[in-house]
Amino acid sequence: MPYYIGDVIRDENKLVARTPERFRDSGIEVLIRTPVERIDMKESAVQLAGGSTIDYDILAIGTGTIPILPGIPGQDLEGVFTLKRLNDAIRIKSYIDMKPVRSAAIIGAGFISMEMCENLRLRGIETTIINMGNLPVTRWDPIFSKRAQEELDRNGVITLTGTKTESITRGNDGRLHLATTAGELAVDLLIIAIGVRPDARLAAEAGIPLGKTGAIQVDFSQKTPLENIYAVGDCCEVFNRVSMRWVHIPLGDIANKQGRVAGRNIGGAPILFPGIVAAQSFRLFDLEMAATGIDEREANQAGFHPVSTIVWGNAIAGAMPGNSPVGIKLIADRSTGKLLGAQAIGEAGAVSRVNTLSCALWAGLGLEEVAYLDLAYAPPFSPSWDPIHLAAQDLLKKL
Amino acid sequence: MGKKLVIIGSGAGGASVAAEAKRRDPNLDIVMIEQGDYVSTAA
Ligand SMILES: Cc1cc2nc3c(=O)[nH]c(=O)nc-3n(C[C@H](O)[C@H](O)[C@H](O)COP(=O)(O)OP(=O)(O)OC[C@H]3O[C@@H](n4cnc5c(N)ncnc54)[C@H](O)[C@@H]3O)c2cc1C
Ligand SMILES: Cc1cc2nc3c(=O)[nH]c(=O)nc-3n(C[C@H](O)[C@H](O)[C@H](O)COP(=O)(O)OP(=O)(O)OC[C@H]3O[C@@H](n4cnc5c(N)ncnc54)[C@H](O)[C@@H]3O)c2cc1C
């Protein structure tokens, strides 16, 4: 969606994986513009707006997330958006096309904010990030987040750090006036991207148990604790194989897999969902950023004794033209030598390395194994000692 | 008639349930209910 708003993807229909017609052709009935208002557990039925009901033998809940709002005056004004659904993207894009929008602000500095500012800049819009904290994308080590901040600066994105937005009003000039702790700011468009929370309202009201995260509790077959009721995607929890805990990580690839697992179990071809290692990536202008596994804080919470290192290596053989630095952070458990997490940043080669390390995490490899892992070497693709090896060997010294 | 499966939400998760359940058991009677204008969208 951010790339659609940036006009990198021109046609919104390219974002629709499967149309209602195609579902109907395969014998699946689809109702759109039809909110479910209540789940009636006693009658095994869902109640629609207007009071009509539909009975079920089996129910699957995939209600997703709701964007968090800051709860400040003016957050519902025209020109203030969250980005969650395709409709939001279409509304933002047509607002930009219609208005003309010369300047925009984004509240929040997570990955949606990062993707949006790249695309707003692509459209020549002056863009300001209003960050409550001091660095963007705090899943990454501060050293990598600083590199991300430099990338924002280099591409002309203005950043206000340590700044809270207190209210939004429409000025006489027709623009949105933001009162912030760093002074006033007037923009044509405001995007709020401060995170999401699971939409578990229907489930909670029906007595379907939620986990500690506030998302719906499920087991490895995507079943909730109640008979014949499944939940999938952003509205439910997922098992983190590294921390061995049920977590809420709303990502699209996880939703797809959980959906397919539930579908198989409902359709009589049972399978278990093996969990995740929390691999995530995004692009910020010329930078790739990726992370997998858990960080020191999560490791401590899960009872590990984390040690970590950051190593900068070459994305490809150092002598090759086009080489660029790639930073790798590894986190391991001091007592067992087990790999716990990895982060990477660079103009090239960051995402592929985090994917490799995701496999290592999945398999539960130790640093000794990662340090001598057999990886394909050829000068256009990597140095003979890959930065993954260098980082693992460096971290071994700290065990 | 097979069993009736009702799915609330048609994002990546709900749409995957629908497609896979139907593939595995063509006799299932499936209704997917979406409050918005679009089904099965990518982010
Ligand atoms: C009420 C409220 C008000 C806030 N107000 C502001 C504000 O005014 N300004 C501001 O800058 N920030 C604010 N924040 C902080 C905000 O939550 C984050 O800083 C960030 O901006 C959210 O961006 P995002 O929507 O891109 O999601 P991100 O936080 O970037 O998260 C993206 C996705 O990654 C997943 N993820 C996160 N951590 C992990 C992990 N360890 N492993 C795997 N996946 C992970 C998340 O589940 C999420 O789906 C506020 C938070 C709250 C709750
Ligand atoms: C801008 C953006 C960029 C992203 N980029 C990435 C990325 O690069 N990689 C990644 O892995 N993930 C990404 N994500 C996250 C990804 O989009 C979600 O994880 C994914 O959409 C989750 O699918 P879902 O089916 O669980 O929920 P959703 O897609 O949110 O679908 C839930 C559906 O349920 C419907 N619904 C809710 N309540 C009701 C009701 N009562 N009645 C009827 N219908 C209802 C909603 O209208 C919605 O259509 C991104 C998200 C955003 C917003």
Side-chain angles (χ1 to χ4, degrees):
Chain A
M1 291 190 292
Y3 300 98
Y4 165 73
I5 294 167
D7 224 18
V8 176
I9 301 170
R10 291 267 157 99
D11 177 5
E12 64 264 25
N13 292 314
K14 290 243 162 77
L15 294 178
V16 176
R18 218 167 168 208
T19 59
E21 291 68 37
R22 276 196 49 212
F23 276 106
R24 283 177 194 130
D25 288 347
S26 56
I28 295 161
E29 194 184 334
V30 179
L31 307 176
I32 58 169
R33 301 189 186 104
T34 309
V36 172
E37 302 233 298
R38 210 169 70 85
I39 302 168
D40 186 340
M41 303 291 284
K42 274 204 210 89
E43 301 292 329
S44 292
V46 297
Q47 200 180 87
L48 309 180
S52 65
T53 60
I54 300 178
D55 295 344
Y56 63 81
D57 299 306
I58 304 166
L59 181 67
I61 303 171
T63 43
T65 53
I66 303 175
I68 296 170
L69 288 171
I72 54 177
Q75 66 184 22
D76 332 314
L77 284 174
E78 196 200 4
V80 181
F81 297 92
T82 55
L83 176 57
K84 172 64 206 162
R85 315 202 182 299
L86 183 51
N87 247 344
D88 301 328
I90 292 170
R91 278 168 45 230
I92 294 171
K93 192 171 187 171
S94 63
Y95 196 81
I96 292 173
D97 292 339
M98 250 167 41
K99 274 294 166 177
V101 170
R102 294 208 179 77
S103 63
I106 308 172
I107 301 180
F111 92 99
I112 292 171
S113 167
M114 298 298 109
E115 289 191 349
M116 273 316 300
C117 65
E118 176 180 341
N119 284 287
L120 291 171
R121 291 299 292 150
L122 266 180
R123 302 210 46 175
I125 296 169
E126 183 182 296
T127 306
T128 304
I129 292 178
I130 306 175
N131 185 356
M132 215 160 54
N134 289 317
L135 286 170
V137 287
T138 51
R139 182 179 178 187
W140 280 262
D141 190 278
I143 291 174
F144 290 174
S145 297
K146 274 194 197 111
R147 176 68 186 85
Q149 183 63 57
E150 285 164 19
E151 190 70 7
L152 291 169
D153 299 344
R154 215 165 58 80
N155 286 282
V157 177
I158 303 156
T159 310
L160 305 175
T161 57
T163 303
K164 246 188 114 163
T165 309
E166 287 167 334
S167 69
I168 312 160
T169 47
R170 167 118 19 233
N172 293 331
D173 55 2
R175 306 173 80 197
L176 296 165
H177 288 244
L178 316 187
T180 78
T181 52
E184 199 177 278
L185 176 74
V187 293
D188 303 313
L189 170 80
L190 176 66
I191 293 175
I192 298 177
I194 58 174
V196 296
R197 59 185 172 82
D199 185 351
R201 180 184 66 85
L202 288 178
E205 286 172 5
I208 299 166
L210 308 186
K212 281 198 211 93
T213 64
I216 301 170
Q217 201 182 320
V218 290
D219 64 16
F220 290 101
S221 50
Q222 296 305 129
K223 254 199 223 113
T224 71
L226 301 188
E227 200 53 39
N228 292 325
I229 301 189
Y230 291 76
V232 299
D234 285 5
C235 66
C236 73
E237 296 190 324
V238 63
F239 184 72
N240 186 317
R241 297 165 61 97
V242 182
S243 65
M244 307 284 278
R245 291 177 177 213
W246 289 89
V247 295
H248 179 242
I249 296 182
L251 289 172
D253 57 310
I254 301 173
N256 274 322
K257 289 170 196 150
Q258 290 182 323
R260 188 169 285 189
V261 166
R264 283 191 56 155
N265 289 318
I266 293 165
I271 185 179
L272 297 179
F273 184 58
I276 59 155
V277 294
Q280 184 186 14
S281 66
F282 69 91
R283 188 179 75 188
L284 179 61
F285 297 100
D286 293 324
L287 269 190
E288 295 181 9
M289 291 193 78
T292 186
I294 58 179
D295 62 17
E296 289 93 332
R297 187 183 48 82
E298 291 166 294
N300 278 316
Q301 283 169 0
F304 293 110
H305 303 282
V307 281
S308 69
T309 187
I310 290 183
V311 166
W312 294 85
N314 292 317
I316 61 175
M320 289 293 284
N323 173 42
S324 59
V326 62
I328 306 256
K329 175 175 181 173
L330 292 183
I331 301 133
D333 181 35
R334 191 200 308 258
S335 34
T336 58
K338 206 178 134 176
L339 182 67
L340 297 177
Q343 303 172 2
I345 191 168
E347 287 174 14
V351 174
S352 63
R353 287 186 171 90
V354 158
N355 276 335
T356 303
L357 289 160
S358 290
C359 293
L361 283 171
W362 187 276
L365 298 191
L367 277 183
E368 298 270 7
E369 291 163 299
V370 175
Y372 290 90
L373 204 58
D374 185 11
L375 299 174
Y377 159 62
F381 308 116
S382 70
S384 59
W385 283 104
D386 193 273
I388 289 178
H389 299 131
L390 301 181
Q393 294 181 1
D394 188 63
L395 189 50
L396 275 170
K397 293 185 219 145
K398 297 192 187 174
L399 294 188
Chain B
M1 216 37 176
K3 284 195 171 174
K4 180 140 181 191
L5 166 62
V6 170
I7 301 168
I8 311 176
S10 71
S16 300
V17 177
E20 189 66 20
K22 192 71 186 175
R23 200 172 295 139
R24 299 287 168 174
D25 181 358
N27 289 323
L28 275 172
D29 178 14
I30 303 179
V31 187
M32 183 162 70
I33 310 172
E34 167 59 47
Q35 65 187 3
D37 299 330
Y38 295 91
V39 302
S40 192
T41 57

mmCIF file of all heavy atoms in Angstrom, chain A residues 149 250 324:
data_model
loop_
_atom_site.group_PDB
_atom_site.id
_atom_site.type_symbol
_atom_site.label_atom_id
_atom_site.label_comp_id
_atom_site.label_asym_id
_atom_site.label_seq_id
_atom_site.Cartn_x
_atom_site.Cartn_y
_atom_site.Cartn_z
ATOM 1 N N GLN A 149 18.174 6.752 10.760
ATOM 2 C CA GLN A 149 17.923 8.197 10.892
ATOM 3 C C GLN A 149 18.756 8.973 9.876
ATOM 4 O O GLN A 149 18.254 9.907 9.246
ATOM 5 C CB GLN A 149 18.256 8.660 12.315
ATOM 6 C CG GLN A 149 17.957 10.135 12.577
ATOM 7 C CD GLN A 149 16.467 10.451 12.438
ATOM 8 O OE1 GLN A 149 15.635 9.855 13.104
ATOM 9 N NE2 GLN A 149 16.114 11.370 11.531
ATOM 10 N N PRO A 250 1.804 -8.993 14.420
ATOM 11 C CA PRO A 250 0.873 -8.916 13.295
ATOM 12 C C PRO A 250 1.595 -8.702 11.966
ATOM 13 O O PRO A 250 1.805 -7.572 11.551
ATOM 14 C CB PRO A 250 -0.011 -7.718 13.657
ATOM 15 C CG PRO A 250 0.861 -6.856 14.506
ATOM 16 C CD PRO A 250 1.817 -7.763 15.216
ATOM 17 N N SER A 324 29.298 -2.723 -0.733
ATOM 18 C CA SER A 324 28.828 -1.769 0.281
ATOM 19 C C SER A 324 28.876 -2.448 1.645
ATOM 20 O O SER A 324 28.820 -3.676 1.729
ATOM 21 C CB SER A 324 27.400 -1.321 -0.049
ATOM 22 O OG SER A 324 26.548 -2.440 -0.077
#
